[in-house]
């Protein structure tokens, strides 16, 4: 009977009305969490997919039955590639998993999200996940990802736990003990005072105490078994089989294990169901509570337990490995674990191996651990595999795997790749990986030679490396052609998206902001189509946010960054997005926000796995933050550290910006010899560096105008005014207009401070009356004096006087110049 949970049921119903939604039902064992959820699920018109966690279960165990239900209901075609690139690691029936170790976990998460969202489009969906307090970290990570990113209506997640969990966006519904009247209704009797006192309102315990009658069980276990001990023999046998079979046992499976015909099974089950030890759940049976199952299971004699596990194994092939293992049948457990890719169990049972390759099992286990996001375990397993192999080619590929694993920690991997190529010098994939890493580290000549060799041997991905190297040589035409070839010949989705990301990055580094934006947008659309929004889509979001920020479209940059961050992308991509937002925050003057963003990004960029630019980018932001905060001593210490510890010649992206800042705060007087300047953006930074050391600010202003980067232009205009106060009014007015348009508070303060020093008035309306501003706007529209007069209902002579006064006050020689000046200075 369902009593006393009307308020909690109402909260679940309210959450269902506002899907997508999530509810975490929390309460002690036996309090009625599962009963509440089952009642809710039975009332809604939706597909209900259920899963749950058990102590010591494998990774993602709560999700496996949910995903299997959705795939069986709708097919794996709901996700790109039919689930072969992600879901297959959890559902072997989808076929052999495509080998994408660097994106395995990200791809799995994205495919689960797509499957859930597209299933919910076909019919409203409720996902029930029981006993999350037993769930592994991988399952909790997947759940958190789903809750952050379910944005389409029709899907609801309901989870139960004995303890509170931090789940993003989930409403917590706590299930309280029942009151006396509620216990009386539950039991259908009035003499419940003693039961209420002993059970403390726990419905499971109350029911068990009522069933125990006049006896007083000494322990909770005896209390839970009181109802079972009253069953006739066949009923007790079936209950014991169900306890061994698992959380939920289909009728046909129970019949097969019990060895009974349908009539005999029905007769055996009837008293079990009547006693509410097992509940009917569609075509299956579930225990009323997990504690009852545990008590029945623990009450089995060791021999009984082994025999029942052996009977369950053939009927439950997906659980056969665990059943044979519990039955003490090592050889059969080994075979079943091998088929299920349960590598931990395979390794535990290795004494029963029959000619299998131990090193290969270690490698497969390492790859699966990497897909599950357990990089530390993956690293250990790969290292153990390396210690066992003698074949050079196998060792080379294991080294490549270890590089992919350690890349997640920010470790470089260059030495491992060199050793891999030494062991297998004709392997195109290894040569291509080495070329890419060499390019990240500024070793361009060797990178180009290795990439050309890899491409000649068939590694199409090396075209991306060759394109990046062409861009570094300031040959954007060749670079774009190579990126296009890479897209045409891409052997996989990741290479396709890397080509977009690489081209957008190269264009942005060269100051081609508009082109970078266009390429990044095409890449993001492809990532969404391929179901890779979380991984490479987030990478491309960083590539889009950066040119938007450079163009002064800061709001748009945030609008791109926010949903990408919500997808919980891989660490390096999250860091790149955070650094773009941090740079914008510094330029806006939101220094505390910038500091917080930098603090989030720093731990994600440990080591030098992505070369010098990934080291220098956070250093540059930290230097800018210190300077903007007026802490010049700290800024100087940071700059000194960067100059001492880093070879700036290996960074084509951040060397000149760092040097310009270093010159501004007095830490350098000359650039390192031979430092290249590639692209308009780097030319603008170099011109700024030279101007800071006494060169021409006019050249810096012209360079920033050519790039089309308003914040850099504003800084250069202020620098020009500070150098030569005589003609400072117009540069400072333009800088002030830029600051106003961007919302750049530090730039505004710098312009006003420079104006005060030069004794220049920077009024936004230089002596213009309201009517003159109105006339100026019409002049800018191209209207003649007569047309202005007609528009404002004044005489043509009066309008002409206004125009003459306006030109005099602005110092403009023509109407066109007046309009241009008004636009540039923000007057209109």
């Amino acid at each position: 009977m369902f009593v006393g949970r009307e308020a909690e049921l109402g909260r679940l119903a309210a959450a269902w009305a506002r899907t997508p939604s999530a509810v975490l039902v929390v309460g002690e064992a036996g309090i009625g969490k599962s009963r509440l959820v089952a009642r809710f699920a039975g009332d809604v018109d939706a597909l209900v997919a259920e899963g749950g966690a058990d102590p010591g279960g494998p990774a993602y165990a709560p999700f496996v039955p949910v995903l299997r239900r959705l795939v069986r209901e709708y097919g794996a075609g709901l996700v790109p590639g039919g689930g072969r690139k992600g879901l297959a690691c959890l559902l072997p029936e989808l076929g052999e998993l495509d080998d994408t170790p660097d994106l395995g976990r990200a791809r799995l998460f994205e495919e689960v999200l797509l499957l859930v969202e597209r299933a919910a489009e076909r019919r409203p969906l409720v996902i029930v996940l029981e006993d999350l307090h037993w769930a592994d970290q991988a399952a909790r990570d997947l759940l958190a990802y789903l809750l952050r990113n379910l944005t389409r209506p029709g899907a609801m997640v309901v989870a139960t736990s004995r303890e509170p969990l931090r789940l993003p966006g989930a409403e917590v519904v706590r299930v309280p003990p029942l009151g006396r009247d509620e216990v009386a209704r539950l039991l259908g009797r009035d003499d419940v005072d003693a039961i209420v006192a002993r059970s403390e309102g726990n419905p499971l315990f109350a029911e068990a105490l009522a069933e125990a009658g006049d006896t007083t069980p000494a322990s909770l276990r005896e209390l839970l078994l009181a109802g079972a001990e009253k069953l006739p023999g066949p009923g007790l046998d079936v209950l014991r089989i169900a306890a061994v079979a698992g959380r939920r046992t289909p009728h046909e499976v129970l019949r097969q294990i019990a060895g009974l015909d349908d009539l005999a099974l029905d007769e055996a089950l009837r008293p079990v169901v009547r006693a509410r030890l097992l509940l009917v759940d569609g075509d299956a049976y579930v225990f009323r509570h997990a504690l009852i199952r545990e008590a029945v299971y623990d009450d089995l004699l060791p021999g009984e337990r082994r025999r029942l596990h052996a009977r369950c194994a053939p009927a439950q092939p997906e659980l056969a490995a665990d059943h044979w293992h519990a039955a003490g049948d090592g050889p059969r457990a080994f075979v079943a674990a091998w088929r299920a890719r349960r590598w931990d169990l395979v390794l535990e049972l290795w004494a029963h191996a029959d000619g299998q390759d131990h090193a290969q099992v270690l490698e497969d286990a390492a790859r699966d651990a990497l897909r599950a996001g357990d990089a530390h375990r993956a690293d250990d397993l790969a290292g153990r595999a390396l210690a066992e192999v003698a074949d050079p080619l196998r060792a080379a590929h294991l080294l490549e795997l270890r590089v992919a694993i350690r890349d997640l920690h920010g470790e470089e991997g260059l030495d491992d790749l060199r050793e891999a190529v030494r062991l297998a010098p004709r392997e195109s994939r290894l040569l291509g990986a080495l070329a890419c890493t060499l390019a990240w580290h500024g070793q361009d000549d060797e990178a180009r030679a290795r990439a050309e060799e890899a491409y000649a041997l068939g590694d199409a991905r090396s075209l991306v490396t060759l394109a990046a190297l062409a861009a570094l040589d300031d040959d954007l035409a060749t670079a774009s052609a190579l990126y296009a070839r890479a897209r045409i010949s891409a052997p996989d989705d990741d290479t396709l998206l890397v080509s977009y990301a690489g081209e957008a990055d190269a264009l942005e580094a060269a100051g081609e902001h508009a082109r970078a934006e266009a390429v990044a947008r095409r890449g993001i659309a492809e990532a969404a189509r391929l179901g890779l929004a979380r991984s490479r889509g987030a990478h491309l979001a960083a590539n889009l946010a950066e040119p938007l920020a450079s163009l002064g479209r800061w709001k748009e940059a945030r609008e791109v960054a926010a949903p990408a961050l919500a997808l919980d992308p891989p660490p390096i991509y999250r860091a790149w997005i955070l650094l773009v937002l941090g740079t914008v925050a510094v330029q806006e003057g939101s220094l505390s926000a910038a500091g917080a963003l930098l603090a989030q990004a720093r731990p994600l960029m440990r080591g030098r796995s992505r070369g010098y630019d990934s080291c220098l980018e956070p250093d540059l932001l930290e230097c800018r933050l210190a300077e903007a905060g007026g802490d010049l001593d700290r800024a100087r210490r940071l700059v000194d550290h960067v100059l001492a510890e880093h070879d700036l010649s290996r960074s084509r992206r951040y060397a000149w910006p760092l040097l310009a800042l270093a010159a501004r705060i007095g830490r350098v007087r000359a650039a390192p010899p031979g430092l290249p300047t590639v692209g308009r953006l780097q030319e603008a930074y170099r011109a700024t560096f030279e101007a800071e050391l006494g060169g021409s600010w006019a050249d810096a202003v012209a360079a920033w105008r050519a790039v089309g980067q308003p914040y850099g232009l504003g800084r250069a205009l202020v620098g020009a005014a500070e150098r030569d106060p005589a003609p400072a009014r117009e540069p400072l007015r333009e800088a002030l207009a830029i600051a106003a348009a961007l919302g750049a508070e530090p730039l505004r303060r710098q312009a006003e401070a420079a104006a005060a020093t030069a004794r220049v008035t920077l009024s936004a309306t230089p002596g213009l009356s309201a009517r003159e501003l109105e006339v100026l706007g019409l002049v800018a529209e191209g209207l003649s004096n007569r047309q202005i007069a007609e528009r404002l209902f004044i005489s043509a002579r009066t309008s002409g006087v206004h125009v003459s006064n306006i030109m005099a006050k602005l110092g403009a020689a023509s109407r066109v110049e007046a309009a241009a000046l008004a636009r540039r200075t923000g007057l209109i």
Side-chain angles (χ1 to χ4, degrees):
M1 181 181 294
F2 183 82
V3 298
R5 304 299 186 211
E6 289 76 11
E8 292 77 16
L9 190 61
R11 291 179 65 183
L12 287 169
W16 175 242
R18 61 173 188 271
T19 60
S21 57
V23 175
L24 176 66
V25 179
V26 178
E28 65 183 32
I31 202 67
K33 302 184 296 297
S34 297
R35 190 178 301 185
L36 169 66
V37 172
R39 174 62 180 269
F40 164 73
D43 288 345
V44 298
D45 181 14
L47 174 68
V48 179
E50 300 174 87
D54 287 305
Y60 304 112
F63 280 95
V64 172
V66 172
L67 301 175
R68 184 167 282 125
R69 174 72 190 279
L70 296 182
V71 168
R72 288 175 178 172
E73 190 78 19
Y74 300 115
L78 290 181
V79 299
R84 288 277 306 282
K85 297 181 179 180
L87 291 177
C89 72
L90 300 184
L91 304 179
E93 60 265 35
L94 296 181
E96 186 177 349
L97 181 69
D98 283 1
D99 189 17
T100 53
D102 56 331
L103 295 175
R105 177 177 159 104
R107 191 64 182 251
L108 169 63
F109 282 23
E110 291 177 58
E111 290 192 2
V112 171
L113 175 63
L114 282 173
L115 181 64
V116 169
E117 287 192 331
R118 293 177 181 178
E121 289 174 357
R122 284 153 177 78
R123 183 184 175 191
L125 172 65
V126 175
I127 295 175
V128 176
L129 300 172
E130 294 271 19
D131 297 324
L132 279 192
H133 48 275
W134 281 325
D136 64 290
Q137 190 59 50
R140 294 189 188 191
D141 289 346
L142 175 53
L143 177 57
Y145 171 73
L146 276 181
L147 298 188
R148 287 192 185 100
N149 297 294
L150 272 173
T151 57
R152 300 178 185 176
M156 179 176 177
V157 177
V158 183
T160 68
S161 175
R162 295 180 187 173
E163 58 195 36
L165 303 172
R166 297 183 65 181
L167 298 178
E171 178 183 358
V172 176
V173 173
R174 296 182 181 274
V175 183
L178 296 177
R180 184 197 181 284
D181 292 344
E182 292 166 334
V183 172
R185 287 170 54 202
L186 175 69
L187 302 180
R189 51 191 280 191
D190 292 327
D191 56 334
V192 296
D193 290 341
I195 293 176
V196 171
R198 292 197 61 204
S199 69
E200 297 182 343
N202 185 300
L204 175 65
F205 301 161
E207 289 175 328
L209 284 166
E211 291 164 0
D214 295 332
T215 62
T216 306
S219 67
L220 173 60
R221 177 169 163 275
E222 291 178 16
L223 176 64
L224 295 172
L225 289 174
E229 291 173 348
K230 297 177 182 179
L231 292 173
L236 184 56
D237 289 342
V238 170
L239 184 67
R240 287 168 173 167
I241 290 171
V244 173
R247 302 174 59 88
R248 182 179 187 274
T249 310
H251 179 90
E252 180 58 31
V253 172
L254 197 57
R255 187 190 65 77
Q256 183 180 343
I257 298 169
L260 301 173
D261 60 32
D262 286 330
L263 289 177
L265 180 60
D266 289 345
E267 287 303 311
L269 278 168
R270 198 173 305 280
V272 181
V273 173
R274 189 180 297 121
R276 300 190 68 253
L277 295 165
L278 289 179
L279 305 177
V280 176
D281 180 26
D283 64 346
Y285 304 93
V286 296
F287 278 87
R288 187 175 88 230
H289 197 280
L291 290 176
I292 298 175
R293 179 193 167 206
E294 292 174 23
V296 174
Y297 185 87
D298 290 343
D299 194 52
L300 292 170
L301 297 173
E304 285 181 302
R305 192 176 299 158
R306 287 195 297 270
R307 288 193 297 273
L308 287 176
H309 275 294
R311 288 165 63 183
C312 288
Q316 296 179 292
E318 70 277 8
L319 300 174
D322 294 308
H323 282 312
W324 288 125
H325 189 39
D329 192 331
R332 284 177 172 163
F334 180 87
V335 171
W338 184 280
R339 289 172 179 166
R341 296 178 67 88
R342 293 282 304 280
W343 304 123
D344 288 354
L345 191 52
V346 167
L347 292 169
E348 181 182 341
L349 297 167
W350 194 255
H352 303 286
D354 184 18
Q356 287 89 351
D357 187 332
H358 190 260
Q360 185 62 53
V361 171
L362 289 169
E363 179 180 348
D364 292 341
R367 293 185 185 278
D368 284 357
L370 180 57
R371 291 187 184 98
D374 190 348
H376 291 290
R377 175 160 175 75
D379 194 6
D380 174 66
L381 290 163
R384 289 165 58 189
L386 264 170
E388 292 187 11
V389 299
D391 177 66
L393 182 59
R394 288 188 63 186
H397 285 293
L398 280 167
L399 285 166
E400 183 194 17
L401 172 62
R402 192 164 71 177
V403 169
I405 294 168
R406 292 182 174 179
D407 182 61
L408 296 182
H409 299 301
E411 296 181 23
E412 181 179 291
L414 188 56
D415 290 341
D416 273 354
L417 286 173
R418 286 193 183 281
E419 176 63 12
V421 169
R422 186 190 69 79
L423 293 170
R426 301 291 292 173
E427 281 289 293
S428 63
R429 178 170 146 183
L430 300 178
L431 284 163
L434 175 59
C436 180
T437 303
L438 288 166
W440 282 339
H441 289 272
Q443 300 181 38
D444 297 356
D445 292 340
E446 185 181 358
R448 181 174 288 103
R450 295 293 193 180
E452 289 172 348
E453 184 181 1
Y455 180 64
L457 291 171
D459 181 48
R461 192 182 179 107
S462 290
L463 284 171
V464 176
T465 302
L466 291 170
L469 292 168
L472 291 175
D473 288 341
D474 205 15
D475 188 353
L476 289 181
T478 297
S480 292
L482 288 169
Y483 282 123
R485 283 174 57 193
R487 286 193 277 275
I488 292 170
S489 58
D492 51 54
D493 297 342
D494 191 53
T495 300
L496 173 68
L497 297 179
V498 166
S499 69
Y500 282 110
E503 184 173 8
D505 185 65
L507 290 168
E508 171 63 16
E512 302 292 334
H513 305 312
R515 291 172 62 191
E517 176 192 356
V519 171
R521 289 193 185 279
R522 291 201 301 272
I524 286 174
E526 283 293 307
R529 180 183 68 82
L530 295 168
L532 287 168
R534 178 175 182 257
S535 50
R536 288 299 180 190
H539 182 179
L540 283 152
N543 293 135
L544 175 56
E546 190 169 12
L548 290 174
S550 296
L551 291 166
R553 292 153 60 186
W554 294 348
K555 180 181 178 182
E556 290 180 64
R558 287 196 180 89
E559 290 171 349
V560 168
L565 290 173
L567 290 172
D568 190 22
I572 193 68
Y573 306 152
R574 171 176 284 273
W576 291 338
I577 296 171
L578 292 171
L579 290 173
V580 173
L581 295 178
T583 300
V584 169
V586 168
Q587 293 172 348
E588 286 180 327
S590 304
L591 302 189
S592 61
L597 290 162
L598 177 62
Q600 292 177 55
R602 274 284 190 198
L604 306 177
M605 303 185 75
R606 293 190 300 269
R608 295 182 175 176
S609 66
R610 301 295 171 123
Y612 264 76
D613 281 350
S614 280
C615 299
L616 291 177
E617 189 175 7
D619 289 342
L620 175 60
L621 176 55
E622 189 166 0
C623 291
R624 285 171 168 167
L625 181 58
E627 183 195 19
D631 190 348
L632 293 185
D633 287 340
R634 175 168 173 74
R636 289 170 181 134
R637 288 196 304 272
L638 290 167
V639 165
D640 290 346
H641 169 76
V642 170
L643 295 176
E645 296 297 324
H646 296 284
D647 180 0
L648 294 188
S649 68
R650 294 191 175 187
S651 172
R652 307 296 176 83
R653 192 76 178 273
Y654 302 111
W656 283 116
L658 275 162
L659 286 170
L661 189 152
R664 187 161 55 249
I665 62 176
R667 304 314 288 174
V668 295
R669 297 300 304 169
L675 192 65
T677 308
V678 178
R680 296 187 302 176
L681 179 59
Q682 300 308 311
E683 289 170 358
Y685 276 118
R686 178 171 183 165
T688 302
F689 168 78
E690 292 171 348
E692 295 285 3
L693 295 179
S696 168
W697 275 110
D699 289 347
V701 168
W704 285 112
R705 284 198 196 282
V707 172
Q709 198 160 319
Y711 188 82
L713 173 60
R715 291 290 298 263
L717 288 165
V718 172
E722 290 173 338
R723 175 73 56 79
D724 186 0
R729 174 175 289 133
E730 294 313 320
L732 290 177
R733 282 181 177 169
E734 184 177 359
L736 192 64
I738 290 170
L742 293 176
E745 184 64 17
L747 179 59
R748 181 192 66 78
R749 290 196 299 266
Q750 291 159 10
E752 290 178 347
T757 300
R759 298 183 179 179
V760 169
T761 300
L762 292 183
S763 171
T765 56
L768 299 184
S769 67
R771 174 63 86 180
E772 286 170 342
L773 284 171
E774 194 173 13
V775 170
L776 178 58
L778 297 176
V779 169
E781 290 182 24
L783 273 62
S784 67
N785 288 352
R786 182 174 297 281
Q787 290 170 319
I788 293 172
E790 292 172 353
R791 182 77 65 86
L792 299 179
F793 302 102
I794 59 177
S795 69
R797 176 184 177 84
T798 301
S799 71
V801 171
H802 283 318
V803 171
S804 297
N805 290 340
I806 289 166
M807 292 171 59
K809 290 179 180 181
L810 293 179
S814 68
R815 299 165 72 96
V816 173
E817 185 180 347
L821 182 60
R823 289 193 180 94
R824 193 168 64 245
T825 58
L827 291 175
I828 59 173

